[in-house]
Amino acid sequence: MNPTLYINGVWRNSSNGGRHEVRSPHDGSLVASVAQASIDDVMEAIAAARACFDSGVYSSWSWTQRSALVSKIADLLERDASIVAKKESDDTGKRLIEAEYDVADVVATFRHFAALGLVEQDHVVDVGIEHVTSRIVHEPVGVCSLIGPWNYPLLQIAWKVAPALVAGCSFILKPSELTPQSAIHLIKLIEEAGTPAGVANLILGPGSVVGNALTTDPRVDLVSFTGGLTTGKTIMVGAAPTVKKLALELGGKNPHIIFADADLDAAIDNAVTGVFLHSGQVCSAGTRLIVERSIHDRVVKEIVRRAADIRMGGPADLTAETGPLISESHLKTVEKYVAAGIAEGAKLLIGGKRSERPEHAHGWYFLPTVFDGCNTSMHCVQEESFGPVMTIEVFDTEAQAIAIGNDTIFGLSGGVWSRDTDKAARVAGALRHGTIWVNDYGPYRPQAEWGGYKQSGIGRELGSHGLGEYLEIKHIWTNNSPSRSGWFHDAVGGES
Ligand code: TXE
């Protein structure tokens, strides 16, 4: 049995012999068998990360040394890109080419944080007192639990691991139990790059057991989590007694607004990509199409035509444009969501059920689905399906478009299409979401912050704030000409 837990620089199996089988979302075949950590393993991993951090064996490395390490990991990821992409594609069911794009993004993420580590973080502030030097210094936050989801397994983990390493933290990484293989390989590369034992630890297993231990243990200083809203709230509660720092990305219900004066060909094409890419298993998916009434019929007709034409297939199908959902349980969740949408009066225009093609019979394929006649009182408009489901709402005025786009508990991302640049800028400014695309939908770059308003999360990943999450800020005040404070009266006075 391949040892797949990594604790204090040693690869090993679970202390209680637990294993977990990873199954292909495409056809249910076995793609890997990995160790499933026990609580004792989690305790050991946290102890190792804590001892490593407190010893200063890595946290005392200079910024330059840590950046060089992260840069080396990027090189190794580039070397192994095709191996990693294959593992990612096997676990997620996404096409190999999509997984290859993801790995390229992962490399870019490591390179971004390596470069950021070379930018001087510390500085002196002028406090207006001549004999005082006031320095602001940045120090690693400590021991971090990094918990990732299954939709972009390696990428979401990279957004956490790379800044944690550059900052000088120690961490315990827990990828989703559904998609562990790329994380295992990443940790091998982190080891190969020369990272000291105890800095990077890997725990595999279900969130409710090992994830819970990782997010409640008093020795952990920060939890960075990407996943569902319900799990995010549970983590907040568990982290509260020891007031852990939290970085949370909890998904979105993202408005995609098309005005009548938009470049409709580009807008419709991006609307289709924005919601059906990766079968909607994307936190920033543009699931809520919000269309100006005068173009509604034309836009809807075209979207339905395009949705009907989407080719679905597994990792090896070179003609496929999108793939299966991650698991049977997730497919059932999407089915329930669609049934609820129909029950509350949304008009199903296409899809709404699993694929009946024989080649999809053993996998979790759900057809691209479009609901028209929706409004903000409906659950299907308010709740994340995380499947290939678009809801369509209409508006008459700019103010209405903004109000509808903001009528959600989430605030991750949104899009606006218009040839009127002033109007588009006004709407972009008024939408309460962390990323807004104007006349585009979906692209991101590691140089720019990513994260949500409202219940989409806390904090930011990527950009420079994405490093800041892993840093404590210390103010060091040095009085170069010491004197008495003179606040309290002193009956004797002077030096004793
Ligand atoms: O996510 P979970 P699930 C949304 C999406 C989806 C829903 C549920 O709407 O339908 O979440 O998906 C770990 N303590 N997103 O159930 O449970 C778990 O092991 C600590 C949005 O798969 O949030 C996994 O590693 N950890 C999203 C990770 O949390 C726990 C991406 C995510 O699993 C835990 C994925 C606990 N108590 C789903 N319980 C996005 N923001 O992109 C679970 N985990």
Side-chain angles (χ1 to χ4, degrees), residues 146-152 156 174-179 205-216 223 225-232 234-235 248-252 280-284 326-327 329-330 333-334 383-387 410 412 450 456:
L146 310 178
I147 300 182
W150 41 260
N151 54 338
Y152 289 88
Q156 298 296 333
K174 194 204 89 61
S176 165
E177 51 274 43
L178 300 172
T179 55
S208 53
V209 184
V210 299
N212 181 58
L214 285 170
T215 53
T216 52
V223 177
F225 167 78
T226 301
L229 177 59
T230 308
T231 309
T234 305
I235 287 175
L248 305 174
E249 204 267 63
L250 308 176
Q281 301 171 114
V282 181
C283 51
S284 54
I326 190 70
S327 64
S329 126
H330 186 46
T333 304
V334 176
E383 285 166 20
E384 200 178 35
S385 78
F386 228 57
F410 291 104
L412 187 63
W450 181 265
S456 282

Side-chain angles (χ1 to χ4, degrees), residues 114-456:
L116 203 58
L118 298 177
V119 176
E120 181 60 52
Q121 306 284 328
D122 301 345
H123 56 277
V124 172
V125 288
D126 183 358
V127 291
I129 307 171
E130 208 176 299
H131 55 273
V132 167
T133 309
S134 222
R135 276 194 318 126
I136 305 298
V137 299
H138 296 77
E139 298 176 352
V141 80
V143 173
C144 308
S145 288
L146 310 178
I147 300 182
W150 41 260
N151 54 338
Y152 289 88
L154 191 62
L155 188 61
Q156 298 296 333
I157 280 166
W159 291 10
K160 306 176 191 310
V161 167
L165 281 174
V166 169
C169 296
S170 295
F171 63 82
I172 307 99
L173 172 64
K174 194 204 89 61
S176 165
E177 51 274 43
L178 300 172
T179 55
Q181 290 202 86
S182 55
I184 296 169
H185 199 86
L186 173 65
I187 294 290
K188 285 185 180 157
L189 300 184
I190 288 175
E191 180 185 38
E192 184 183 342
T195 311
V199 174
N201 301 276
L202 178 66
I203 284 294
L204 306 176
S208 53
V209 184
V210 299
N212 181 58
L214 285 170
T215 53
T216 52
D217 193 285
R219 293 166 293 178
V220 171
D221 299 298
L222 173 143
V223 177
S224 177
F225 167 78
T226 301
L229 177 59
T230 308
T231 309
K233 288 180 184 174
T234 305
I235 287 175
M236 286 182 86
V237 171
T242 47
V243 194
K244 297 185 194 316
K245 309 258 178 293
L246 287 174
L248 305 174
E249 204 267 63
L250 308 176
K253 194 66 194 173
N254 311 295
H256 197 172
I257 299 170
I258 307 182
F259 282 94
D261 62 0
D263 173 340
L264 282 191
D265 182 55
I268 290 167
D269 186 63
N270 277 275
V272 170
T273 309
V275 67
F276 297 127
L277 177 79
H278 196 16
S279 286
Q281 301 171 114
V282 181
C283 51
S284 54
T287 46
R288 298 179 60 202
L289 195 69
I290 302 168
V291 192
E292 191 159 356
R293 193 179 302 277
S294 61
I295 52 164
H296 167 270
D297 293 357
R298 183 174 159 199
V299 170
V300 171
K301 191 171 163 214
E302 191 58 10
I303 289 207
V304 170
R305 181 185 73 77
R306 295 286 306 275
D309 219 23
I310 290 174
R311 295 192 294 261
M312 306 182 82
D317 182 347
L318 296 179
T319 66
E321 296 168 316
T322 186
L325 296 176
I326 190 70
S327 64
E328 182 179 20
S329 126
H330 186 46
L331 184 136
K332 285 188 171 149
T333 304
V334 176
E335 278 176 338
K336 272 193 217 143
Y337 172 97
V338 168
I342 293 169
E344 62 190 342
K347 193 171 159 204
L348 181 66
L349 299 183
I350 189 166
K353 56 182 182 181
R354 49 193 302 174
S355 164
E356 283 159 2
R357 295 176 77 103
E359 65 270 31
H360 299 159
H362 301 291
W364 316 124
Y365 287 88
F366 198 85
L367 294 174
T369 298
V370 179
F371 273 136
D372 195 12
C374 300
N375 63 63
T376 53
S377 71
M378 294 175 165
H379 288 97
C380 64
V381 171
Q382 294 296 343
E383 285 166 20
E384 200 178 35
S385 78
F386 228 57
V389 185
M390 172 188 273
T391 60
I392 300 176
E393 300 161 78
V394 290
F395 68 89
D396 293 299
T397 65
E398 180 181 325
Q400 250 179 12
I402 294 166
I404 293 172
N406 281 337
D407 190 353
T408 162
I409 59 165
F410 291 104
L412 187 63
S413 64
V416 51
W417 289 81
S418 170
R419 285 195 173 90
D420 178 341
T421 49
D422 289 342
K423 181 166 68 181
R426 277 194 307 273
V427 176
L431 287 174
R432 308 254 318 141
H433 298 263
T435 295
I436 303 293
W437 292 284
V438 175
N439 295 330
D440 210 335
Y441 200 92
Y444 79 95
R445 288 293 178 274
Q447 294 80 2
E449 273 74 8
W450 181 265
Y453 285 38
K454 301 194 265 180
Q455 294 188 34
S456 282

